[in-house]
């Protein structure tokens, strides 16, 4: 029973070669995201994750804002010379899935249960990662190219998108998944030996 799930996680890859097209309909993209948001687990079933799907002009505006904010942060002589080019690749995609975690819920739980105050923020980040991976995998299975990005998104940048609804200031950005039909297959991936990474203790 697990074979198709394990195959699915193998299909998920970072593919930066995006086109501005999507052979997957907007309705299907939305249904994938809704299903993942509903069913991905969260600590104490806190259901903290929030997602915004942006496409078209809003997707381009998002990446222009990110490029405008990030490029001045790169110090002179930085060796990541390919970084600016990568940002342009994200902007060249069909759309972006914007991920958030609602810190109002996180703070409320910590207030009610101070004994988990140290750990709960980490568990919350784990929940965010599960959702990222689930949507990334589902999009890959649909044949889309995508990567997981972590630009610092400010409230001003989000307000500048003119989304048509308010994004509460408590929604903390956790990642952005730019995606589109692939312009090329993903690059070859290398693996360190699994034997070094997994042990069994038999009793
Ligand atoms: C938690 C996490 C954060 C990541 N952050 C970034 C990122 O900010 N930018 C990026 O280009 N790739 C990011 N990646 C992608 C990894 O570099 C990539 O998953 C890894 O090299 C393995 O390649 P694969 O995704 O093709 O399997 C991230 C991956 C994970 C799991």
């Amino acid at each position: 029973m697990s074979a198709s799930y394990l195959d699915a996680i193998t299909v998920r890859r970072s593919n930066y070669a995006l086109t501005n097209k999507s052979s997957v309909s907007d309705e299907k993209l939305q249904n994938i995201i809704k299903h993942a948001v509903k069913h991905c687990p969260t600590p104490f079933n806190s259901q903290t994750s929030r997602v915004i799907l942006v496409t078209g002009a809003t997707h381009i505006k998002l990446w222009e804002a990110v490029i405008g904010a990030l490029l001045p942060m790169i110090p002179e002589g930085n060796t990541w010379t390919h970084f600016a080019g990568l940002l342009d690749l994200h902007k060249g995609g069909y759309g972006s899935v914007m991920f958030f975690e609602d810190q109002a819920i996180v703070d409320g739980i910590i207030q009610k249960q101070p004994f988990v105050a140290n750990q709960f923020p980490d568990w919350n980040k784990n929940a965010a990662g599960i959702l990222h991976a689930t949507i990334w995998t589902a999009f890959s299975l649909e044949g889309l190219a995508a990567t997981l990005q972590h630009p610092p998104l400010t409230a001003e940048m989000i307000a500048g998108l003119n989304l048509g609804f308010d994004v509460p200031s408590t929604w903390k950005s956790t990642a952005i998944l730019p995606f589109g039909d692939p312009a090329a297959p993903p690059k070859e991936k290398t693996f360190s030996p699994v034997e070094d990474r997994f042990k069994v203790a038999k009793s």
Side-chain angles (χ1 to χ4, degrees), residues 191-198:
F191 297 91
S192 53
V194 173
E195 297 71 36
D196 296 344
R197 303 175 63 193
F198 171 65

Side-chain angles (χ1 to χ4, degrees), residues 12-16 86 90 136 147-150 186-187 189:
R12 184 222 50 79
R13 290 292 319 280
S14 294
N15 188 348
Y16 297 81
L86 285 181
H90 310 326
W136 191 0
T147 65
L148 193 66
Q149 302 301 321
H150 297 87
K187 295 217 166 81
K189 184 175 176 181

Side-chain angles (χ1 to χ4, degrees), residues 17 62 96 103 124 157 160 162:
L62 167 67
S96 291
Q103 296 308 298
N124 176 250
M157 287 158 81
N162 297 317

